[in-house]
């Protein structure tokens, strides 16, 4: 049985294909069409399908759409229509946009029919798909599931679930406009970034003092006795946030903080605002995690939704609560909704035997050595070699201080590059971080770079109170062992923590071997890892890799079995 899951309604468009309940392929549309987030989040385009991602998934199975048994989309028009009828707040800031958006949704199943699909179509509500993407991809047979993002179909921003076997039950919700996701979007715009720049704000927060604006944020957001939270929504005005072009009414935030929005250089005050936002988020998420643990009695926690990409809040919520185990799906944001919708139909709707875990994030396109060689042949000026010991050769280059674009195996699902579409470097010298941020990635000074660490050595280099697979996906932030600080200058954030990737030989043997060879030479069981891109979506194809390599100051391209260098400068 084939089930095709789709996310297209808002942003982070993606597709996922299950075969008999097992993930076969999954990818985000942005990697193919090279448009960040796949498409613009507009009221008039929820029916814009992730065509290339769908085509990839079907090709992986060697089938056509006519052979798919079920198609499911992460949205529920009936719930959305009910929100409109009741006049409750919605993501669109006027009724005309609401009606346009709702009127476009029925075009989605019609489009699939026109494309040859003859099976059964399912809608799966936004937050249900988020919850399913975490729980049904985990090893847990029961869990507490917490979904935190901006807004779901039903005018709620946060949902609490009890999960057991193949069933998910929502036990509590937090109603929009109280929304942690929207709070981060509003503050991102206030700080001079874009709507999608929560990661920048999270990185900036480590430079600030949260106490300076703690009292102000206490007036903006607070925990409630029922285990949820509330916000001063009349002040925050989330309904005025626009994605294209990004803008928002920040006047209420200005009044609360007593500081005008940033228009020039970053100053300490901006770092302090970011720090206070992170501290408030930690407080709210931990409060909800503790309540959910008491409510469900479960020792296992699943996190999903865009806020679950916040590695600092994840670490606080898990290590400071009574949960013993944690699972966070690598595509916790809306890009993972296609996975969740498909898994929900297989497990919950159809009642089939429980899906196995998703043991890794490598579900995207891969390319044969011959395909890579053919693409390289189109660029005769490049110098291409095939070292007899590829991992050893890459490690030697890293030790020499080279920056390497690493293109191996299947593309990762989710916003983190995990060794298959990565830029890697020597983690020891602080100068490597400056080189990558300024010369290669062309991004801000405060953006941290992550270490990819041999899983068997994580405990020697970091303080980990409770091990979790979330660390495999750069979704946990850990304090570094002070004795090791001198050997990790490029990956150590200003607060002496690291957002790590624990690399396992079983799930990525090539990357594991490269890091092992680097450790043999240096004694350091990690490499610096950042996504292989330059102000663009993470690369997908060999052509993407070559294009980005040629336009940046990356020294070498390690693609398939080949090492590539640029021709000498005349």
């Amino acid at each position: 049985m084939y089930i095709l899951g789709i996310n297209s309604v808002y942003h982070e468009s993606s597709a996922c294909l299950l075969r008999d309940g097992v993930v076969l392929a999954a990818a985000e549309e942005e990697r193919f069409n090279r448009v960040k987030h796949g498409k613009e989040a507009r009221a008039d385009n929820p029916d814009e399908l992730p065509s290339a991602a769908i085509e990839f998934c079907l090709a992986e199975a060697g089938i056509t759409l006519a052979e798919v048994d079920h198609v499911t989309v992460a949205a529920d028009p009936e719930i959305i229509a009910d929100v409109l009828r009741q006049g409750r707040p919605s993501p669109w800031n006027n009724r005309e946009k609401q009606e346009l958006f709702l009127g476009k949704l029925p075009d989605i199943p019609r489009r699939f029919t026109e494309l040859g699909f003859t099976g059964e179509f399912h809608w799966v509500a936004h937050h249900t798909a988020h919850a399913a993407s975490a729980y049904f991809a985990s090893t847990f047979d029961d869990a507490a599931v917490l979904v935190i993002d901006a807004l779901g179909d039903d005018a709620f921003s946060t949902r609490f679930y009890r999960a057991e076997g193949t069933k998910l039950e929502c036990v509590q919700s937090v109603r929009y406009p109280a929304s942690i996701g929207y709070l981060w979007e509003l503050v991102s715009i206030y700080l001079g970034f874009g709507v999608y720049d929560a990661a920048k704000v999270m990185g900036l927060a480590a430079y600030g003092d949260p106490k300076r604006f703690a009292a102000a944020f206490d007036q903006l957001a607070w925990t409630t006795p029922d285990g949820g939270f509330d916000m001063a929504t009349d002040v925050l005005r989330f309904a005025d946030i626009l994605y294209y072009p990004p803008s928002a009414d920040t006047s209420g935030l200005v009044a609360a903080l007593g500081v005008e929005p940033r228009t020039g250089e970053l100053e300490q005050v901006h770092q302090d605002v970011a720090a206070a936002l992170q501290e408030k988020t930690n407080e709210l998420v931990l409060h909800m995690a503790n309540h959910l643990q008491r409510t469900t009695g479960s020792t296992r926690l699943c996190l999903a939704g865009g806020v679950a990409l916040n590695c600092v809040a994840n670490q606080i919520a898990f290590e400071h609560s009574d949960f013993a185990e944690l699972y966070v799906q690598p595509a916790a944001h809306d890009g993972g909704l296609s996975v969740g919708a498909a898994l929900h139909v297989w497990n919950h709707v159809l009642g089939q035997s429980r899906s196995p875990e998703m043991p890794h994030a490598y579900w995207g396109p891969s390319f044969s050595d011959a395909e890579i060689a053919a693409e390289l042949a189109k660029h005769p000026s490049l110098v291409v070699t095939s070292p007899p010991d590829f991992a050893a050769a890459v490690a030697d280059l890293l030790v020499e201080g080279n920056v390497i674009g690493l293109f191996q195996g299947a593309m990762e699902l989710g916003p983190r590059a995990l060794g298959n579409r990565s830029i890697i470097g020597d983690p020891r010298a602080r100068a490597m971080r400056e080189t990558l941020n300024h010369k290669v990635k062309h991004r801000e000074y405060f953006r941290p770079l992550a270490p990819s660490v041999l899983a068997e050595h994580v405990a020697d280099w970091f303080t980990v109170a409770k091990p979790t697979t979330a660390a495999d996906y750069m979704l946990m932030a850990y304090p570094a062992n002070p004795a090791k600080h001198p050997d990790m200058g490029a990956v150590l954030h200003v607060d002496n923590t690291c957002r790590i990737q624990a690399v396992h030989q079983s799930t990525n043997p090539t990357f594991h071997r490269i890091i092992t060879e680097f450790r043999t030479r240096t004694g350091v069981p990690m490499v610096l890892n950042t996504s292989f891109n330059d102000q663009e979506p993470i690369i997908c194809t060999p052509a993407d890799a070559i294009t980005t390599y040629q336009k940046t100051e990356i020294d070498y391209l390690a693609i398939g079995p080949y090492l590539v260098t640029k021709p000498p400068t005349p």
Side-chain angles (χ1 to χ4, degrees):
M1 182 188 295
Y2 287 102
I3 300 176
L4 179 64
I6 301 296
N7 178 54
S8 69
V9 171
Y10 298 111
H11 46 197
E12 319 297 358
S13 301
S14 64
C16 170
L17 185 67
L18 304 186
R19 181 167 59 198
D20 295 333
V22 181
V23 176
L24 180 67
E28 296 172 65
E29 184 71 5
E30 69 164 20
R31 310 295 169 83
F32 301 95
N33 67 10
R34 313 307 298 156
V35 176
K36 280 194 172 186
H37 314 292
K39 67 183 183 74
E40 296 182 355
R42 302 197 314 264
D44 64 349
N45 70 351
D47 59 333
E48 185 179 317
L49 299 180
S51 302
I54 293 171
E55 182 181 346
F56 155 69
C57 289
L58 296 176
E60 283 294 285
I63 63 173
T64 66
L65 194 55
E67 298 170 84
V68 172
D69 301 281
H70 300 267
V71 166
T72 174
V73 171
D76 191 326
E78 291 188 10
I79 292 176
I80 298 170
D82 188 56
V83 170
L84 181 60
R85 281 193 297 268
Q86 295 186 33
R88 299 205 305 252
S90 87
W92 310 113
N93 57 357
N94 63 60
R95 189 173 184 86
E96 181 181 354
K97 286 185 178 180
Q98 293 171 344
E99 292 175 345
L100 175 61
F101 175 75
L102 190 60
K104 284 282 187 178
L105 291 180
D107 290 341
I108 297 176
R110 283 199 292 267
R111 289 197 61 189
F112 277 105
T113 300
E114 292 167 359
L115 292 170
F117 173 64
T118 58
E120 187 174 356
F121 185 90
H122 308 262
W123 298 103
V124 175
H126 185 96
H127 280 161
T128 302
H130 268 314
S133 77
Y135 173 62
F136 291 128
S138 75
T139 60
F140 305 154
D141 53 15
D142 72 83
V145 185
L146 183 58
V147 176
I148 316 170
D149 62 1
L151 180 64
D153 296 333
D154 48 6
F156 290 93
S157 70
T158 302
R159 282 192 176 276
F160 304 68
Y161 293 84
R162 176 187 291 110
E164 185 173 358
T166 60
K167 298 299 179 182
L168 278 167
E169 176 194 3
C170 180
V171 296
Q172 192 171 332
S173 303
V174 175
R175 185 181 293 280
Y176 172 87
S179 168
I180 297 175
Y182 274 131
L183 180 61
W184 275 78
E185 292 182 1
L186 184 69
V187 175
S188 292
I189 292 173
Y190 167 85
L191 290 175
F193 305 122
V195 178
Y196 292 105
D197 287 334
K200 293 184 180 182
V201 178
M202 185 171 65
L204 185 66
Y207 289 81
D209 178 3
K211 297 183 181 66
R212 181 174 178 179
F213 292 104
F217 272 90
D218 285 344
Q219 297 301 311
L220 294 172
W222 54 90
T223 60
T224 54
D226 64 354
F229 64 90
D230 205 350
M231 294 185 176
T233 53
D234 56 331
V235 174
L236 295 170
R237 299 175 187 146
F238 296 144
D240 294 320
I241 294 176
L242 295 177
Y243 285 76
Y244 294 95
S247 64
D249 181 352
T250 60
S251 58
L253 199 57
V254 169
L257 300 176
V259 180
E260 291 298 314
R262 179 174 77 93
T263 56
E265 294 296 316
L266 278 167
E267 300 175 7
Q268 186 61 47
V269 65
H270 305 122
Q271 297 172 358
D272 294 342
V273 169
L277 171 63
Q278 181 66 63
E279 193 78 2
K280 175 57 64 174
T281 302
N282 297 345
E283 174 195 345
L284 299 182
V285 177
L286 177 60
H287 172 73
M288 290 187 287
N290 282 328
H291 171 73
L292 188 56
Q293 198 282 321
R294 292 190 297 268
T295 300
T296 63
S298 179
T299 60
R300 298 158 171 168
L301 175 64
C302 294
L303 293 173
V307 176
L309 294 177
N310 190 308
C311 58
V312 176
N314 290 351
Q315 187 256 345
I316 295 293
F318 180 47
E319 295 194 346
H320 292 254
S321 70
D322 288 334
F323 285 106
E325 297 178 81
L326 170 69
Y327 181 82
V328 188
Q329 213 255 92
H333 65 332
D334 283 5
L337 288 173
S338 57
V339 177
L343 288 174
H344 185 262
V345 168
W346 171 265
N347 290 278
H348 188 99
V349 177
L350 301 179
Q352 297 286 341
S353 58
R354 177 66 186 272
S355 295
E357 67 169 314
M358 277 177 55
H360 56 74
Y362 308 109
W363 302 106
S366 60
F367 301 86
S368 68
D369 294 350
E371 289 174 312
I372 292 171
E375 193 62 42
L376 288 170
K378 298 176 184 177
H379 303 270
S381 64
L382 294 175
V383 180
V384 181
T385 60
S386 301
D389 190 333
F390 178 80
V394 172
D396 286 337
L397 292 172
L398 291 173
V399 172
E400 294 169 5
N402 291 289
V403 175
I404 300 175
L406 186 63
F407 183 105
Q408 301 289 310
M411 182 181 69
E412 303 90 337
L413 175 68
R416 314 289 191 227
L418 301 170
N420 284 6
R421 302 293 186 274
S422 292
I423 298 172
I424 60 175
D426 188 332
R428 294 174 296 173
R430 181 74 175 184
M432 179 58 71
R433 171 175 167 169
E434 311 309 319
T435 295
L436 276 166
N437 269 344
H438 298 303
K439 292 186 177 181
V440 177
K441 300 282 284 188
H442 303 111
R443 64 183 198 173
E444 299 87 353
Y445 69 89
F446 57 83
R447 302 287 296 277
L449 296 169
S452 292
V453 190
L454 296 177
E456 56 269 32
H457 292 282
V458 167
D460 299 328
W461 287 70
F462 300 93
T463 301
V464 180
K466 303 176 188 177
T468 167
T469 58
D472 299 354
Y473 308 123
M474 297 186 186
L475 293 174
M476 297 292 282
Y478 293 128
N481 181 339
K484 306 293 189 181
H485 288 183
D487 288 324
M488 48 197 310
V491 295
L492 195 63
H493 202 25
V494 67
D495 60 356
N496 293 324
T497 66
C498 292
R499 183 189 69 191
I500 78 164
Q501 176 200 0
V503 181
H504 299 265
Q505 196 277 336
S506 59
T507 54
N508 197 329
T510 298
F511 198 31
H512 190 275
R513 173 106 196 287
I514 290 171
I515 303 171
T516 299
E517 291 290 336
F518 183 80
R519 175 177 178 265
T520 298
R521 288 153 176 76
T522 65
V524 178
M526 67 183 75
V527 297
L528 179 154
N529 177 10
T530 188
S531 55
F532 197 161
N533 61 340
D534 177 19
Q535 307 295 311
E536 62 183 332
I538 298 173
I539 62 167
C540 175
T541 67
D544 297 336
I546 294 168
T547 298
T548 299
Y549 169 61
Q550 289 182 311
K551 73 178 183 180
T552 63
E553 296 184 45
I554 297 173
D555 299 303
Y556 286 84
L557 175 61
I559 181 168
Y562 307 109
L563 276 179
V564 181
T565 57
K566 297 164 187 170
T569 304

